Amino acid sequence: MPLARTLGALPPHVPALILSLSAPFPPPAAVPTDPLHDRLQLTLGSAYTLTRELGGGGMSRVFLARDAALERDVVVKVLSPDLAAGVSTERFTREIKLAASLQQANIVPLLTAGETEGLPYYTMPFVDGLSLRVRLERDGAMPVGETISVLRDITRALTYAHEHGIVHRDIKPENILLSGEAAVVTDFGIAKALAASKTQAPGGTLTQTGTSIGTPAYMAPEQAAGDSATDHRADLYALGCVAYELLSGAAPFADRAPRQLLAAHMTEVPAPLESRRADIPPALAQLVARCLEKDPDTRPQTAREVLTALDDATAPAALTTGGPSAGGVFASNAPRRRVLLAGGTVVLGAALSLGAWALRTRASTPAAATTSSAAAAPALAANGIAVLPFESLGDSADAYFADGITDAVRGRLSQLSVVRVIARASAQQYRGTTKTPAQIARELGVRYLLTGTVRWAKAPGGGAASSRVQVSPELVEVTPDGAAQIRWQEPFDAELKEVFQLQGDIAARSVAGMQVALGSADRARVEAVPLAADAAGYDLYLRGLAAIDGGANGSPAATRRAMGYFEQAVARDARVAEWWAWLSRTAAGLYSTGGAARPALAERARAAAARA
């Protein structure tokens, strides 16, 4: 294939550190004259001669250069002006020096670092091979044996780096290169250097707080939220995402917008690998699931532990019996967060990250793969539960209230580390369904279904505070042979002001019906008495959520209506973080639509987030 056609076939985000061509290299094309190229060449002087631009992405422009002294090719990466804004070059260079100390066979070393008229740059060897991204887009999912070999190489690099105090923070197929028989990891320490150089200037003055940089498709929940306590375990989550993609051919939440990706990482459980591919050793699938835990404490705690588990997962016993129990769970128990996006790189402001911490994402894309084929169905997870939409009895205008009860119970269950809870988006598709419990359980891969009815008995005059709530939940167990039986059923009747306690009681009784053993931490969570928030304020909050759900593609009119409800809710009770967070979210959404009110909306979004 001609070179031009080969290059033209590559998608624009493919990292251009390497080119894999079957024909000999033609003479390098001339670099078009542009200001950045000229400034960079002037800075590099005679030590390096820029030969051509390889491309880049949202974070940098990438050039191929010739090292005059050693007569070798090197790669020069220059940060984009947007990303370099506010970066302390001195701090960036200092952090790069720490990363440059890494000397390990699976790590592409950093050679030099500097700046050209305020734009930081760094150099590294040119690796002749192809990126994991190119390989995936060319061939799709990889064979299991080759996948394990690649994962071992990546994990060796992470083990060495972590034990030397360096975290990558941007593990993804674009940063993994296949050279010869080995996989090597590039750009070690760059994301950390960017974050560090943005948050603190040389004199110790904070310039930008709560900033996190990475790639949405592979970003751990705590990293996406700008959590200052993010550590090496975020790399293990990203490793889990890469492993999932290598084995299934697609990232855990592929084909979603960046905002939806981040929301999914925080709230949804990926479809089990076993449902995507039949030849994956069970122990390997369990290891990947552990790496993808929302809570860092329930993931493997070190890369060395992952390396050992990879060996265990491919032992003969593991290949035939599933190996030792990998432990871990699939529950989505992380707080939900809202983020701000800038191109393909995520930059989160501290104020909105605080408000976003409490957000409940109402995604529209199902989290779990479904199938009508019994042969292709995954095994039913013994600790898995789907909370199906509760049916609203009475006035159809009150249906939003039943949805609120459903979501609240699901949220309570999702806090438990020993329960796998199917995401809202996947459960919603069964509203009003005629499918049997066995069909639903098989399609979602769970053993338990929680259904129910809700009747809102309003007091005379429509006053919310003195109304009563009647809920009749029912826990159904579907056994592996397809039989369905009721494990627990109990009616609840309470005043609206007691609805929060009622939600907790339903969650606790459901777990008891599942016969799941709770640890002390989980028991404390399920037995915790929720905040007795203002009942009328809660009703306004639910109306706000309903306005968002009912708005066509998040129309400004629907968002404005929802914002009004949230304003009224916090005015009645200012203690509920989630209400403030949704107020911040809707104000930020309206800000993005433009208009004369943008400054006021920006301030309202910031203030509400800070209050949350």
Side-chain angles (χ1 to χ4, degrees), residues 82-160:
D82 288 342
L83 199 59
V87 166
S88 163
T89 304
E90 179 182 341
R91 179 74 180 243
F92 180 82
T93 303
R94 188 159 67 248
E95 292 288 340
I96 286 290
K97 288 179 180 178
L98 293 176
S101 66
L102 298 177
Q103 299 292 325
Q104 196 269 347
N106 300 107
I107 296 177
V108 179
L110 297 173
L111 301 177
T112 60
E115 62 94 14
T116 175
E117 296 190 16
L119 295 180
Y121 72 84
Y122 55 98
T123 67
M124 59 181 61
F126 176 79
V127 178
D128 188 8
L130 74 163
S131 74
L132 202 52
R133 171 61 63 209
V134 173
R135 171 64 189 275
L136 283 166
E137 293 186 345
R138 187 187 70 186
D139 302 329
M142 296 174 63
V144 171
E146 189 175 354
T147 295
I148 292 173
S149 177
V150 169
L151 292 177
R152 278 200 182 103
D153 285 347
I154 301 170
T155 309
R156 288 189 187 101
L158 291 176
T159 299
Y160 179 87

Side-chain angles (χ1 to χ4, degrees), residues 293-499:
E293 287 292 341
K294 310 298 183 189
D295 184 351
D297 290 340
T298 55
R299 295 174 205 150
Q301 295 302 289
T302 66
R304 189 170 294 281
E305 181 183 343
V306 175
L307 198 56
T308 300
L310 281 170
D311 291 334
D312 293 341
T314 54
L319 291 173
T320 55
T321 67
S325 172
V329 292
F330 297 84
S332 174
N333 57 1
R336 298 170 169 95
R337 309 161 176 92
R338 166 82 171 176
V339 300
L340 300 178
L341 304 177
T345 300
V346 180
V347 183
L348 295 94
L352 288 184
S353 291
L354 284 171
W357 195 271
L359 287 185
R360 174 176 55 84
T361 300
R362 301 165 76 85
S364 59
T365 307
T370 60
T371 174
S372 59
S373 169
L380 303 184
N383 65 339
I385 183 171
V387 183
L388 303 184
F390 285 12
E391 180 185 358
S392 177
L393 304 179
D395 192 339
S396 60
D398 296 335
Y400 72 90
F401 189 81
D403 287 343
I405 297 290
T406 307
D407 290 339
V409 172
R410 183 185 297 111
R412 295 276 291 186
L413 289 170
S414 70
Q415 297 176 32
L416 307 179
S417 65
V418 292
V419 177
R420 174 192 171 194
V421 183
I422 294 297
R424 180 184 196 268
S426 292
Q428 286 294 95
Q429 63 183 307
Y430 297 101
R431 183 189 299 277
T433 184
T434 58
K435 292 184 176 181
T436 66
Q439 288 175 308
I440 298 172
R442 185 172 63 244
E443 291 176 1
L444 294 177
V446 297
R447 188 160 183 167
Y448 293 94
L449 304 175
L450 181 63
T451 65
T453 61
V454 177
R455 183 184 296 277
W456 187 6
K458 295 183 179 179
S466 56
S467 299
R468 298 193 69 81
V469 180
Q470 298 165 350
V471 184
S472 296
E474 181 178 279
L475 181 70
V476 177
E477 179 185 11
V478 178
T479 58
D481 61 2
Q485 56 183 324
I486 298 174
R487 298 296 303 179
W488 166 72
Q489 185 182 46
E490 181 180 350
F492 291 81
D493 188 328
E495 293 184 17
L496 182 60
K497 64 182 179 181
E498 299 171 337
V499 69

